[in-house]
Amino acid sequence: MHVHLVFVAKYRREVFTKEILVDLRSIFAGVCNDFEAELVEFDGEHDHVHLLLNYHPKVAVSNLANSLKGVSSRMIRQKKYPSIRKKLWGGALWSPSYFAGSCGGAPTSIIPQYIEQQQTPS
C-alpha cells in the first residue's frame, strides 16, 4: 500500500534547510526499514515535508507516522541546528497533526513528481 504523508514544523516555523532535509531523508529511510516499509520519495520546503511510502497492510499508518515524527524530532534536535534552536523551543519539532492520504493506481506516478517539485531550501 502507498501513503502520502505531510508533516508540518511546529508553529509552521521556517526551520528546514537543505542540510536538515538531507538528514531527515536518512532518518525517515531508517525508520521505514524498521517497519519493513520503503521511502519512495521525500522532499520538503522551509516549514513542511512530504513523504511517499510503500508499506505493508499489517502496519497502522498512525503508528508509522508517529514513529517517523518521534524519531526524527529526537535525532534532529540532538544535532542542535541553529535554525531550529532559534525558532523552536521545548522538545517538539513537528506540529501534533499530520496529513495522510492513501494512494493507488495512476496517482502513484504523479505524487513523486509533486513531491520533487517542492521548493527545497538552498
Side-chain angles (χ1 to χ4, degrees):
M1 298 178 67
H2 290 85
V3 65
H4 175 199
L5 296 173
V6 180
F7 301 152
V8 177
K10 186 86 171 181
Y11 310 116
R12 195 92 188 192
R13 302 272 195 224
E14 294 186 353
V15 296
F16 300 129
T17 62
K18 187 171 183 125
E19 180 184 11
I20 294 171
L21 291 176
V22 168
D23 279 349
L24 283 171
R25 177 188 301 271
S26 140
I27 293 165
F28 289 147
V31 172
C32 285
N33 285 338
D34 293 343
F35 279 84
E36 298 177 10
E38 174 191 8
L39 180 61
V40 176
E41 190 62 54
F42 169 81
D43 209 345
E45 296 188 6
H46 291 286
D47 61 355
H48 70 280
V49 297
H50 291 262
L51 301 89
L52 179 61
L53 308 176
N54 185 7
Y55 68 101
H56 194 278
K58 71 180 179 183
V59 174
V61 172
S62 60
N63 291 343
L64 181 55
N66 288 332
S67 189
L68 287 163
K69 288 173 68 177
V71 170
S72 62
S73 179
R74 186 172 54 257
M75 293 181 80
I76 290 296
R77 284 197 157 284
Q78 286 174 352
K79 295 190 177 199
K80 300 183 183 196
Y81 286 107
S83 65
I84 292 175
R85 291 184 71 188
K86 285 184 216 169
K87 296 183 180 179
L88 292 177
W89 51 92
L93 173 64
W94 304 111
S95 168
S97 59
Y98 60 88
F99 167 82
S102 62
C103 321
T108 56
S109 63
I110 295 169
I111 292 170
Q113 293 171 3
Y114 171 73
I115 293 173
E116 287 173 5
Q117 293 171 357
Q118 294 298 299
Q119 295 176 1
T120 306
S122 50

